[in-house]
Amino acid sequence: MRSRVLRLLLKKELRDVFRDRKAIIMLVLVPLLIYPLIFFGSFAVMTMIQSSMEDGKYDVIVDVDDGGALMKQIAIYNTDKASKDKDSSNKDSEEQIEAVYFDKFLKNNDYELANDSTETKRKLVESILQDEAADVYVSCEKDEDGRITYITRYVSSITDSNYAEIIVKEILDDLSDKEMKKSIEDAGLDAEAITHPFGIERKNIASNEQSAGSVLGMILPFMLVVSLLMGTMYPAIDTTAGEKERGTLETLLTLPIRNHEMILAKFLTVALMGIISALLNVISMGFMIFYLVKLVQSEAASSLGFDLKSFNFASFLPASLVTILAIMAFSLFISAVTMCIAALAKSYKEANNYITPLTLIVMLTGYIGFIPNIELDNRMAMIPVANICLLVKNLLLFKANLGPTAIVLLTNVIYAGLAIMLLSKIYDSESILFDEGRGGLQLFEKRSNIVAGGTPTTGDAWFIVFFVMIVYLYVGSILQMNYGLAGIFGSQLIVLLLPLILAFYTKRNLKKTYSFKITKLTGFAGSVLLFVGAFLLENIVSTALYHFFPQAFEDTNAGLLDILGGHNFWLALAVVAFTPAICEEMMFRGFILSGFRSKYGKWTAIVMSSFIFGVYHTSLIRLVPTMMLGICFAMIVYYTGSIIPAMMMHCLNNAIAVVEMYNPGWVEANFPLIFGGESSILGSIVLTFISVVIIFAGVRLLQMTARSKVKKTA
């Protein structure tokens, strides 16, 4: 690595970022100026509204026959309220609740009761409340024993009416307590001893620092991940799509610099901006919290459970240091991801559209810090975004463990490294960097203007990915829940027909799009070997995951068993094995894979289509095993040029699952080495080695088939 070149490139990228007004606004002005203005403005408005409501005057209509008990209690409330207001402001206060009997209210206002029927009276009361002539109407009913039930009518959508009803409810509660004590005393008993038979004393053994950490642990992680995303988003767009839009990327690529030097300089710039933005957000938020607590110190401290006078800020120093490391690790990850997404765009506007889904995902995942009883264990430590939120939360609660903490930091660095590798692939591909229209969506073009032939564009493929997913999730789920096995068949038709309709509309060559051809014997043999090896490896991974998530696997299997229950074995085999082998292969290894191959490189197209294949099966626990099989099927199609072997292997894989569901234990009994649930570590290692050897042999046969195909074409 030439350090001088890297320094010059880093300096250039930093200068470009700081020249961009949008980046500076998001980096500096938003955390240091706009957030505080929003916070203090909102706090001032809320304070003003609360003060206005507390000092407001409310009209209450009383229509009860209780000997004046409610009116007396309202008078007591007004007297107590006036006394408190006088003590706090040294000025006289008017009655807050202006209560008037119903008959008197009608005389003083332009309302008339046509007759004494209950329905007429109810409609009149509703009209009075809706017109805001009064805020609350109180009536009562008496049972056979003379017990009174007070009924309050109000309009919750009107602020004054809603707040007045809360006050009336408090007054009625006080009246209830008063009457209860009077009844007990009239019986010659001790009211206090009966209503409070024992005392309660609460002692919180959490330290001031733990109490403060529990509050900050919900807010700070979310603010950190969002601020890091916002801080990296605009620099990432500017250094990738922005450079394309300005036309300076071509010039940069002509300089005597290496691609990895340019990418590393851009990456370090974006990561540094993210760290700066996060730290500024933390400082800004810390100032706001400190100001708020100081402003209402006596009340806030007691309500939050800690005392600022004895608060030891130094105890948070270790947590702060590890949090800074977490910020740096997450900044590396989110910077690499945002750059990968933005690098696919041709303009600032397009990049913003691409990053919007990422923003939603990060924000929704960041809410995990608000959910109680979710612990940071070794499994959660590997989930992006969620692991950082839980780590920071645990650090503030002083209960972070070394193992999960190390996993969180390490996995974020690994994920960042993988994203950087993908970014380097993007910058090595001119077809991605300088898209010349090959990836455009042709759905909305006139059919007469579309040139017949060829395979789908990348835009067509991505449209199908999202459109079919939406239809599949909503319509397919309803079909499966309501119609069982027939619903599975219907959802598979969705997967088959929607891409096929688009292929017909855009005049695609169906033979090329779906790779309809017969492969050679060597291609078929290589497909079988590759599938067997991938199947063994997938089973090893599934077994390992089962040890960590047994309940998730059992729930998934139970759901399919519920659908298959009571159906004929051969019918289930046709619907679950044969139908998906045709429908899913035609969509994922046909339409989508051919669309991705029109723009992306071989492995990018294979991995992306396989990942989408895993996502479509809507099982997080089965994502990796399903993706592994998807890669196997995609490699078969790529090397043989035929989708038929992939369909056959897909059918065989699903058929094994159906056989196991209808004959539990049969597969394990006949193939104990492969499906044995209690295999040893040594056995797993040996089986992994065997599967890798079989995969290697299958790939070699497939490569031979591909080379012979090229020679024949030449």
Side-chain angles (χ1 to χ4, degrees), residues 423-679:
L423 186 64
S424 66
K425 292 289 184 182
I426 293 174
Y427 270 82
D428 285 337
S429 174
E430 292 187 8
S431 63
I432 298 177
L433 285 180
F434 308 108
D435 185 14
E436 298 175 355
R438 292 188 294 267
L441 177 62
Q442 294 193 325
L443 173 64
F444 302 109
E445 293 185 18
K446 270 190 176 182
R447 196 166 190 269
S448 58
N449 296 335
I450 299 175
V451 179
T455 58
T457 64
T458 311
D460 293 332
W462 279 115
F463 173 79
I464 282 298
V465 167
F466 292 110
F467 182 68
V468 175
M469 180 177 288
I470 293 170
V471 177
Y472 185 82
L473 285 176
Y474 287 94
V475 180
S477 299
I478 294 172
L479 289 174
Q480 292 182 29
M481 285 189 294
N482 293 332
Y483 302 103
L485 203 60
I488 293 179
F489 181 75
S491 61
Q492 287 297 317
L493 288 182
I494 293 172
V495 171
L496 171 68
L497 294 178
L498 292 181
L500 194 60
I501 291 170
L502 182 59
F504 272 113
Y505 179 82
T506 54
K507 302 178 182 178
R508 297 304 170 202
N509 185 318
L510 297 183
K511 187 176 180 180
K512 287 184 178 179
T513 298
Y514 291 105
S515 302
F516 288 139
K517 62 173 289 188
I518 303 297
T519 186
K520 289 185 175 182
L521 185 60
T522 55
F524 181 76
S527 301
V528 173
L529 285 175
L530 178 59
F531 168 71
V532 171
F535 183 80
L536 292 176
L537 197 59
E538 179 264 344
N539 186 69
I540 294 169
V541 173
S542 297
T543 302
L545 288 172
Y546 177 80
H547 287 296
F548 286 99
F549 309 99
Q551 189 60 46
F553 272 90
E554 290 171 5
D555 291 343
T556 302
N557 294 334
L560 186 56
L561 277 172
D562 290 340
I563 295 175
L564 297 180
H567 289 283
N568 179 271
F569 168 78
W570 297 106
L571 179 62
L573 191 68
V575 174
V576 178
F578 184 73
T579 304
I582 295 176
C583 300
E584 292 181 3
E585 287 305 309
M586 286 184 66
M587 175 175 167
F588 293 102
R589 260 66 65 179
F591 194 97
I592 293 176
L593 182 61
S594 60
F596 284 174
R597 286 175 63 184
S598 67
K599 181 177 179 179
Y600 306 135
K602 175 182 74 173
W603 286 110
T604 303
I606 288 175
V607 173
M608 287 176 62
S609 63
S610 302
F611 176 75
I612 294 167
F613 176 63
V615 171
Y616 257 75
H617 285 74
T618 61
S619 174
L620 183 62
I621 197 64
R622 295 288 308 171
L623 175 62
V624 174
T626 307
M627 182 180 172
M628 291 171 63
L629 289 175
I631 292 174
C632 167
F633 301 147
M635 289 175 65
I636 290 173
V637 174
Y638 181 86
Y639 285 116
T640 64
S642 173
I643 201 172
I644 296 173
M647 287 180 173
M648 296 173 69
M649 299 305 107
H650 193 152
C651 183
L652 178 59
N653 175 76
N654 289 13
I656 293 173
V658 174
V659 169
E660 174 60 22
M661 287 185 179
Y662 275 83
N663 301 278
W666 184 87
V667 177
E668 288 89 340
N670 290 275
F671 304 95
L673 179 62
I674 300 174
F675 296 98
E678 301 297 328
S679 58

Side-chain angles (χ1 to χ4, degrees), residues 228-229 232-233 235-237 239-240 263-264 266-272 274 328-344 355 358 411-424 426-427:
L228 272 167
L229 175 62
T232 57
M233 186 168 68
I237 294 174
T239 57
T240 52
I263 293 169
L264 185 57
K266 291 178 179 293
F267 170 71
L268 291 176
T269 300
V270 176
L272 181 61
M328 295 174 66
F330 185 70
S331 180
L332 296 176
F333 166 70
I334 203 67
S335 300
V337 172
T338 51
M339 289 181 70
C340 285
I341 296 173
L344 300 174
I355 288 180
L358 175 67
T411 51
N412 275 275
V413 174
I414 292 173
Y415 296 153
L418 294 174
I420 293 172
M421 289 172 61
L422 177 60
L423 186 64
S424 66
I426 293 174
Y427 270 82

Side-chain angles (χ1 to χ4, degrees), residues 100-363:
V100 60
Y101 284 110
F102 184 60
D103 294 339
K104 187 176 180 181
F105 175 85
L106 294 180
K107 290 179 182 179
N108 296 338
N109 295 274
D110 297 330
Y111 290 97
E112 292 184 3
L113 187 61
N115 54 64
D116 293 333
S117 69
T118 304
E119 183 65 19
T120 303
K121 191 173 186 179
R122 183 186 64 79
K123 289 182 178 179
L124 178 61
V125 169
E126 289 180 357
S127 176
I128 292 170
L129 295 176
Q130 293 287 356
D131 294 342
E132 300 185 45
D135 298 306
V136 179
Y137 171 84
V138 185
S139 60
C140 71
E141 294 178 354
K142 289 186 178 181
D143 59 17
E144 296 177 354
D145 298 327
R147 185 174 180 271
I148 294 177
T149 299
Y150 290 95
I151 303 169
T152 60
R153 287 181 171 84
Y154 67 106
V155 185
S156 62
S157 59
I158 299 175
T159 304
D160 284 354
S161 180
N162 190 62
Y163 188 75
E165 197 277 336
I166 294 173
I167 297 175
V168 172
K169 175 66 168 55
E170 293 177 0
I171 293 172
L172 289 171
D173 288 340
D174 290 340
L175 178 60
S176 176
D177 291 342
K178 181 179 178 181
E179 291 296 324
M180 177 184 63
K181 289 181 179 180
K182 183 177 182 299
S183 298
I184 294 173
E185 289 172 352
D186 290 345
L189 302 174
D190 187 347
E192 184 65 25
I194 292 176
T195 56
H196 298 90
F198 55 84
I200 300 174
E201 184 178 352
R202 301 174 65 197
K203 290 187 177 181
N204 181 12
I205 63 171
S207 64
N208 287 331
E209 293 74 26
Q210 287 176 317
S211 299
S214 66
V215 176
L216 293 175
M218 293 186 292
I219 304 171
L220 188 60
F222 177 78
M223 291 293 296
L224 279 177
V225 296
V226 172
S227 61
L228 272 167
L229 175 62
M230 294 296 106
T232 57
M233 186 168 68
Y234 286 97
I237 294 174
D238 184 70
T239 57
T240 52
E243 206 159 41
K244 292 183 191 179
E245 195 171 22
R246 293 190 297 269
T248 57
L249 181 59
E250 293 89 340
T251 305
L252 189 61
L253 291 172
T254 60
L255 297 176
I257 58 174
R258 298 164 186 165
N259 259 16
H260 66 271
E261 292 173 338
M262 177 183 65
I263 293 169
L264 185 57
K266 291 178 179 293
F267 170 71
L268 291 176
T269 300
V270 176
L272 181 61
M273 293 300 102
I275 293 172
I276 293 173
S277 176
L279 293 177
L280 290 176
N281 272 277
V282 171
I283 293 171
S284 177
M285 189 173 64
F287 168 73
M288 289 186 291
I289 293 174
F290 180 78
Y291 177 82
L292 178 62
V293 173
K294 280 290 186 182
L295 191 66
V296 287
Q297 182 172 348
S298 59
E299 296 181 6
S302 59
S303 63
L304 295 176
F306 59 90
D307 182 13
L308 284 178
K309 295 179 181 179
S310 60
F311 195 83
N312 183 14
F313 288 95
S315 62
F316 283 98
L317 183 59
S320 301
L321 295 176
V322 180
T323 299
I324 291 173
L325 290 177
I327 290 173
M328 295 174 66
F330 185 70
S331 180
L332 296 176
F333 166 70
I334 203 67
S335 300
V337 172
T338 51
M339 289 181 70
C340 285
I341 296 173
L344 300 174
K346 294 178 289 186
S347 64
Y348 228 106
K349 181 180 178 181
E350 189 177 348
N352 271 302
N353 293 334
Y354 287 175
I355 288 180
T356 298
L358 175 67
T359 305
L360 295 175
I361 292 171
V362 170
M363 292 182 69

